[in-house]
Amino acid sequence: ELARRIAAALGIAPASTAVGALAGGTAEPGGGALSVVGLGPGADAWRTPEASRALAEATDLVGYATYLDMAPARAGQARHASD
């Protein structure tokens, strides 16, 4: 259900086994990866190295606008804020 809702928010079709379109630009299984990362509240120092890496590598970030603003910005990365 979560993968389908995220895919709908991004305007893409979910892959049969995962939302492959997030990173790979296709709806083919294995075409990408979906990482679920807690963004806040809290200081950057509280974020795990794995979460920081996932944020740095992500092509798209989906989340609550206030928490997205707390995530480091990267050129070319799309942000999809909710209220």
Side-chain angles (χ1 to χ4, degrees):
E1 174 61 25
L2 176 61
R4 190 172 71 236
R5 289 176 55 201
I6 292 171
L10 295 173
I12 58 176
S16 59
T17 57
V19 183
L22 287 178
T26 70
E28 297 292 323
L34 171 65
S35 298
V36 179
V37 176
L39 292 175
D44 288 350
W46 294 1
R47 195 174 298 130
T48 67
E50 294 84 2
S52 294
R53 190 173 317 109
L55 290 171
E57 294 173 355
T59 59
D60 292 81
L61 299 179
V62 180
Y64 180 55
T66 301
Y67 293 165
L68 282 180
D69 290 343
M70 296 169 59
R74 181 176 62 75
Q77 190 174 61
R79 291 173 179 237
H80 310 273
S82 66
D83 32 328

